[in-house]
Amino acid sequence: MPLWRLYYHIVWATKERQLLIDPKKEPDLYNYIIGKADSHRCIVHAIGGIEDHIHLVVSIPPTLSIVDFVKHIKGSSSYEMNQLLPSSGVKFGWQRGYGVFSLGRKQLDEAVAYVKNQKQHHLEGTIIAALERETDEDDGVIESDRII
C-alpha cells in the first residue's frame, strides 16, 4: 500500500435525534466502533458525543470509501446496540445522513480535542455550529452573497 495520511471528522445522529446513547452504554458503543474501524484498517483518533449524536476523527485508507466506512460502522453498531439494550420497546438506530469534513495534519490535534470534549462543549455552549448541524444539506460555497 502507498503512504497515506487522510484525516476525517465524521458526525452522525441517532434516528430523529432521539436520546438513545445511554451514558452507561456509551463506552460499549465507542469500543465497538473502534474495534469495527480497526477491522477495516482505519485509525480512530478520537470518538465522542452526547445522547443524540457522535463525532469521530478517523483515518480511512484510500482502499475504502468514506460512504462504505460509515455504512459499515453505522449498520453494525446499530445492530450491536440493539443487542445490548434491554427490550424497552425502543429500537436503536442512526439517521440516514452524516457529515464529513476533511482535515489537514495541522488541524488533527484541534479536531481530536473538540471531539474528546463534546459533553463539555455542549454544556458550555462552545460548540462549532458547522459541525453540529441537524440537517444533511450541503453548505454550498458562498460567493458574492449567494450560495452556489
Side-chain angles (χ1 to χ4, degrees), residues 4-21:
W4 56 276
R5 297 287 184 266
L6 303 169
Y7 308 104
Y8 303 100
H9 184 154
I10 305 173
V11 184
W12 65 83
T14 57
K15 190 170 186 171
E16 299 172 354
R17 287 274 177 162
Q18 296 177 65
L19 305 179
L20 298 176
I21 303 173

Side-chain angles (χ1 to χ4, degrees), residues 104-128:
R105 176 63 187 103
K106 292 180 180 179
Q107 299 163 312
L108 183 61
D109 292 338
E110 185 178 338
V112 166
Y114 182 75
V115 168
K116 286 184 175 181
N117 293 301
Q118 269 294 289
K119 288 175 182 47
Q120 180 181 345
H121 286 299
H122 281 272
L123 282 173
E124 297 175 358
T126 57
I127 62 170
I128 299 172

Side-chain angles (χ1 to χ4, degrees), residues 32-49:
Y32 179 84
I33 289 173
I34 292 167
K36 193 68 169 173
D38 285 347
S39 75
H40 288 286
R41 303 187 67 184
C42 299
I43 302 164
V44 174
H45 301 280
I47 188 169

Side-chain angles (χ1 to χ4, degrees), residues 12 25 29 33 37-39 50 57 59 65 67-68 87 104-105 122 130-131 138:
W12 65 83
K25 296 292 183 190
L29 173 63
I33 289 173
D38 285 347
S39 75
I50 59 172
V57 176
S59 290
S65 73
V67 70
D68 286 339
S87 56
R105 176 63 187 103
H122 281 272
L131 298 175
D138 289 336

Side-chain angles (χ1 to χ4, degrees), residues 45-69:
H45 301 280
I47 188 169
I50 59 172
E51 294 86 355
D52 71 350
H53 72 276
I54 67 169
H55 292 252
L56 192 63
V57 176
V58 62
S59 290
I60 303 171
T63 56
L64 179 63
S65 73
I66 296 168
V67 70
D68 286 339
F69 170 77

